[in-house]
Amino acid sequence: MEPQKLVEIMNVAERLKDTVRHCYTSGGRRESVAEHSWRTALMAYFVSAEFPDADLEKLLKMCLIHDLGEAFTGDIPTFEKTEEDEKKEEKILEKWLMSLPEPFNREMTELFQEMSERKSLEAKIFKALDNLEALIQHNESDIHTWLPLEYSLQMTYGNDKAEFSDYMKNLRDEVRKDSMRKIREEESRDI
């Protein structure tokens, strides 16, 4: 890749450092999209032994690139994102992907298609981890930053994405237990 093109691509990717998500960190600041993507990739690395048939390189790429569209649209929380929002993001991302040199243009387009279809093992793992990382981050944040609907979302969000694997279901259960503990602790303080 030409150095100038790499710099251009990094300029777009850098936007994700400044694009904040709905969730807060344990230190009390808004989490960035880049931080979420990084930790989703880190989770993929740590669970890779549970999925020996998965292509770890492909899985890591999915985790790293999955929210690149938000460099153009910003982050819209999943409980607010409409089909129109998704189509707009896809269209802008597709246009940007076409500006990338080969083989990155083709490979990333194929990865986004595979993630969207969620049929491959890697795409299923990625999507479950994407959801679970968000839940873990909520558990790590101050409960006072939670919206009222997030109390129930912490119990249900990502359940469907974890269904494909006993390991993921167990991980989802563990995250749910952590959410329940956090809620109980808050309730006991209110008494």
Side-chain angles (χ1 to χ4, degrees), residues 11-25:
N11 289 337
V12 170
E14 191 273 342
R15 296 176 195 168
L16 295 180
K17 292 181 179 183
D18 283 329
T19 303
V20 293
R21 290 170 53 87
H22 163 71
C23 194
Y24 288 79
T25 67

Side-chain angles (χ1 to χ4, degrees), residues 79-149:
F79 50 84
E80 293 177 0
K81 198 171 210 174
T82 65
E83 189 175 316
E84 186 178 312
D85 293 327
E86 288 181 19
K87 286 180 181 177
K88 178 183 174 185
E89 185 178 311
E90 286 173 18
K91 192 172 200 161
I92 293 169
L93 180 63
E94 185 177 296
K95 183 179 176 183
W96 182 72
L97 291 175
M98 295 309 295
S99 75
L100 298 178
E102 287 296 345
F104 304 102
N105 156 323
R106 180 180 32 77
E107 180 183 25
M108 288 178 74
T109 299
E110 290 171 1
L111 286 170
F112 276 108
Q113 180 66 36
E114 191 173 331
M115 288 185 284
S116 174
E117 292 171 353
R118 243 182 273 146
K119 293 178 182 174
S120 70
L121 177 59
E122 294 82 6
K124 290 176 184 179
I125 296 167
F126 145 71
K127 193 58 185 175
L129 294 177
D130 179 34
N131 286 188
L132 289 167
E133 193 287 326
L135 293 167
I136 291 168
Q137 186 61 57
H138 267 76
N139 284 341
E140 293 167 342
S141 67
D142 186 320
I143 199 166
H144 296 104
T145 65
W146 291 17
L147 298 174
L149 68 89

